[in-house]
Amino acid sequence: MALDIALLHTVVAVAKAGGFREAARMTGSNPSRISDAVRRAEEQLGVRLFNRTTRTVALTEAGRALMSRLLPAMDEVDAALDALNNFRDTPGGTLRLNVPVSAARIVLPAIVPGFLQRFPDIQLEVVAESNVQDVFRDSCDAGIRYDDHLEQDMVALPIGPRRQRFALAAAPAYLAQFGTPQHPRDLMQHRCLHGRYATGVIAEWEFTRGEETVSLQPKGPLLCSIGATMELTVEAAIAGCGVVYLFEDWIKPALSNGNLQPILPEWWQSFSGLWLYYNTRRLIPTPLQVFLDYVRELNVQYCAPSEVLNL
């Protein structure tokens, strides 16, 4: 039974994504076009592949049977195409990464330009999200996460600086008007520009000095979703609206040019850096392999000599 290969790819995308909208996002299409392609595939095959409701799209028994045979075959096709890289002067193909917004902002800019210059035939697609997702659900080849969000049974490779800090800061004009906090608890009397996780939980601000740790729930005139909209808190802080507590590397330009003034730096909390992780049970495509090699090469500059052997 013949079927247009493009329709097969669409069916696989919907099965992996669990819905037309997610499949459209993954493939750069739109939900109505995806839905129409699935309908045409079902008409050509003469069986229903998905049960549809207003809220869910799920494989039927026939759909599951097809996927059990089709997915390994599609992987073989991908492997065959990837093998052509052995005959190219430079590797080609697409590399899809799922990363937190902070990684796209403060780590990848030091990596991506050099990588793209060295491998001009590779197309890099970066999916930056504020909430933690299963990276492989979106057909990504690898993900970047902090160690408390690493998925099980994955290989993790350090990427970027191994230690980061949160930095507390405010504009000089704000501090002149409201005074400079002398202890983290003083922040309860200040206008804090803070964030909320995708789960709805408002992030606590935590500070550490020696053996003492202080956690507090900030309050203030601006609350933004943690991720891309946190840039708004930085701009508001620069404008003198309040105090911001964010990744040091994120606000470093404003600290360097004097738009923001550091507060209580001896209390700034440090944490371990990001990790690049991937599934070794899957075929490692050439674009991912050369990216891994490139990151390992860069990692040497971030590590102490005793750590290099562990990369």
Side-chain angles (χ1 to χ4, degrees), residues 39-59:
R39 178 187 57 77
R40 288 188 287 121
E42 291 176 329
E43 288 177 352
Q44 291 186 30
L45 293 172
V47 295
R48 178 176 287 275
L49 299 174
F50 297 94
N51 288 320
R52 305 159 176 82
T53 69
T54 56
R55 295 190 176 186
T56 62
V57 176
L59 286 166

Side-chain angles (χ1 to χ4, degrees), residues 245-265:
Y245 191 47
L246 197 58
F247 297 106
E248 180 181 11
D249 287 336
W250 192 318
I251 64 174
K252 185 175 289 185
L255 291 171
S256 298
N257 63 25
N259 285 336
L260 291 178
Q261 183 173 319
I263 304 170
L264 301 172

Side-chain angles (χ1 to χ4, degrees), residues 185-221:
R185 294 190 185 90
D186 295 344
L187 291 168
M188 299 306 296
Q189 310 304 319
H190 281 263
R191 298 168 63 84
C192 298
L193 312 174
H194 53 309
R196 188 197 331 253
Y197 294 110
T199 59
V201 176
I202 296 177
E204 287 190 337
W205 288 4
E206 189 169 282
F207 303 87
T208 301
R209 185 178 65 176
E211 299 298 319
E212 184 180 3
T213 296
V214 176
S215 296
L216 54 89
Q217 190 73 68
K219 300 183 184 300

Side-chain angles (χ1 to χ4, degrees), residues 228-304:
T229 58
M230 292 304 289
E231 182 62 25
L232 179 58
T233 67
V234 178
E235 294 302 322
I238 291 173
C241 297
V243 181
V244 66
Y245 191 47
L246 197 58
F247 297 106
E248 180 181 11
D249 287 336
W250 192 318
I251 64 174
K252 185 175 289 185
L255 291 171
S256 298
N257 63 25
N259 285 336
L260 291 178
Q261 183 173 319
I263 304 170
L264 301 172
E266 68 276 13
W267 285 91
W268 292 358
Q269 193 170 69
S270 65
F271 53 96
S272 60
L274 288 157
W275 296 82
L276 171 67
Y277 73 100
Y278 58 97
N279 189 344
T280 56
R281 291 194 297 268
R282 297 185 174 200
L283 167 74
I284 299 180
T286 300
L288 175 57
Q289 185 60 63
V290 295
F291 186 72
L292 295 172
D293 294 340
Y294 187 78
V295 170
R296 288 189 181 97
E297 179 182 322
L298 293 181
N299 275 346
V300 175
Q301 65 181 294
Y302 294 120
C303 297

Side-chain angles (χ1 to χ4, degrees), residues 77-197:
V77 171
D78 290 340
L81 294 174
D82 187 64
L84 294 177
N85 274 308
N86 295 327
F87 299 92
R88 299 168 58 94
D89 292 333
T90 59
T94 299
L95 172 61
R96 187 175 168 90
L97 301 177
N98 182 291
V99 309
V101 172
S102 59
R105 169 86 184 187
I106 62 180
V107 172
L108 289 184
I111 298 173
V112 168
F115 175 74
L116 295 180
Q117 289 170 359
R118 183 178 297 185
F119 304 103
D121 293 331
I122 290 179
Q123 179 182 1
L124 177 62
E125 183 174 353
V126 177
V127 180
E129 297 184 307
S130 302
N131 55 331
V132 178
Q133 298 282 358
D134 174 6
V135 299
F136 305 114
R137 184 203 66 180
D138 287 342
S139 296
C140 290
D141 300 295
I144 295 177
R145 292 288 184 270
Y146 290 100
D147 51 12
D148 56 340
H149 287 134
L150 289 177
E151 298 187 22
Q152 298 295 318
D153 302 322
M154 300 292 164
V155 175
L157 176 71
I159 183 170
R162 299 323 305 143
R163 300 300 299 176
Q164 296 184 25
R165 292 196 302 175
F166 287 108
L168 184 71
Y174 174 88
L175 296 175
Q177 181 178 357
F178 295 99
T180 301
Q182 300 302 306
H183 190 278
R185 294 190 185 90
D186 295 344
L187 291 168
M188 299 306 296
Q189 310 304 319
H190 281 263
R191 298 168 63 84
C192 298
L193 312 174
H194 53 309
R196 188 197 331 253
Y197 294 110

